[in-house]
Amino acid sequence: MTLARLGHWLGLVLLASLVVVALLADALAGGAAWASPQHALPGAGAREIAGWWVMATRNTVAVVVTTTALAAVLGTALGAASVYGGGGAGGLLARLVEFTGAVPGLILVGLLRFWDASGGILALVGTLALLRALEVAQLVRAQVLTTIPSDFVEASRALGASRGWQLRVHILPPLARPLLVNLLLGASSLIGLEAALSFTGLGLPSDTPSWGGGLAAVAGGGNGVALACVVGSIGLTSAVLYGLSVIHASAEAPVVMAGHAKPATIPAA
């Protein structure tokens, strides 16, 4: 087993463990509440820190998974629409990307919180999903524009293939690996963004356990165990997600002619 494959499986095991902890958080924390409130972390003991960490992991994983899923769906739809939609959709997408790049995420979250009745949850998820969706859309648009002029796409069009068939057979399969790498990198950055926003008070509500909220609670010192737990969780998870993205990016994708696996007669729909 190569070092890259070993790292890949270890990373998957760690991520799967976090998902299991998130799904079983209430049971692992001993009930509906954590042992120590977030603001009490500086004086908490090991048992209280462990109970808080379980609940914080659940909330952080929920934010990252929800945001990543929304970004994948919305970004793919926007990227494809910017190519096939016409009417300047590609230019509009570019302007949106430039605008969100010019306005810091902190400002966007702060603006959305004015109309957020959830106490900051919807503003956080909405802002992060929007920023990530536009990045995914740029990737999808570039991939589609690269694939459309290919000979096999032109040949299928000449044989009467529908646009939907071309998307399913020729365009989406080559997009899978770049999209996976993008989503892994995005999830890694989302861990840090959630921590930064919660640290500044613009993330999840202050009484909702999260890794970023815990970092804000122990930043002033007073509990080295809690600080190590929070920093280790953020740093290790981000590093694993980044490492998985590097492994998949460097893996050589098999070269398969999409038309070879299909019958000679191309369906009309």
Side-chain angles (χ1 to χ4, degrees):
M1 180 178 290
T2 63
L3 184 61
R5 182 173 292 273
L6 177 61
H8 177 265
W9 285 109
L10 289 177
L12 291 180
V13 169
L14 174 63
L15 295 181
S17 300
L18 291 177
V19 172
V20 171
V21 169
L23 293 174
L24 303 178
D26 285 336
L28 293 175
W34 49 94
S36 175
Q38 190 158 262
H39 63 81
L41 278 179
R47 181 179 178 183
E48 289 76 17
I49 294 173
W52 167 87
W53 180 84
V54 168
M55 303 303 292
T57 298
R58 181 192 66 179
N59 296 329
T60 302
V61 169
V63 168
V64 173
V65 171
T66 301
T67 302
T68 301
L70 289 174
V73 174
L74 295 177
T76 301
L78 283 173
S82 69
V83 176
Y84 291 105
L92 176 61
L93 175 62
R95 301 292 84 76
L96 285 174
V97 172
E98 292 174 357
F99 173 75
T100 55
V103 180
L106 287 172
I107 302 299
L108 290 177
V109 175
L111 291 174
L112 289 178
R113 284 177 73 97
F114 284 112
W115 301 278
D116 185 3
S118 67
I121 298 176
L122 293 179
L124 175 66
V125 174
T127 301
L128 296 181
L130 173 63
L131 296 176
R132 288 290 302 124
L134 291 175
E135 293 178 11
V136 172
Q138 286 286 78
L139 169 68
V140 172
R141 174 178 168 81
Q143 185 70 32
V144 172
L145 289 176
T146 301
T147 308
I148 283 178
S150 301
D151 292 339
F152 49 85
V153 176
E154 292 294 335
S156 67
R157 182 182 295 113
L159 291 173
S162 66
R163 181 176 295 175
W165 190 89
Q166 291 175 347
L167 282 171
R168 292 193 305 270
V169 176
H170 291 311
I171 295 176
L172 291 182
L175 177 62
R177 185 180 293 273
L179 182 59
L180 175 61
V181 172
N182 182 279
L183 293 178
L184 288 171
L185 279 173
S188 177
S189 67
L190 285 174
I191 297 291
L193 282 173
E194 185 280 324
L197 291 171
S198 295
F199 186 83
T200 59
L202 292 176
L204 295 174
S206 59
D207 58 345
T208 300
S210 70
W211 290 350
L215 183 63
V218 300
N223 196 325
V225 175
L227 181 61
C229 177
V230 175
V231 173
S233 298
I234 296 172
L236 181 60
T237 306
S238 296
V240 167
L241 288 167
Y242 175 77
L244 289 174
S245 71
V246 171
I247 291 173
H248 283 282
S250 60
E252 183 178 356
V255 178
V256 178
M257 291 301 294
H260 286 179
K262 289 291 177 182
T265 301
I266 298 178

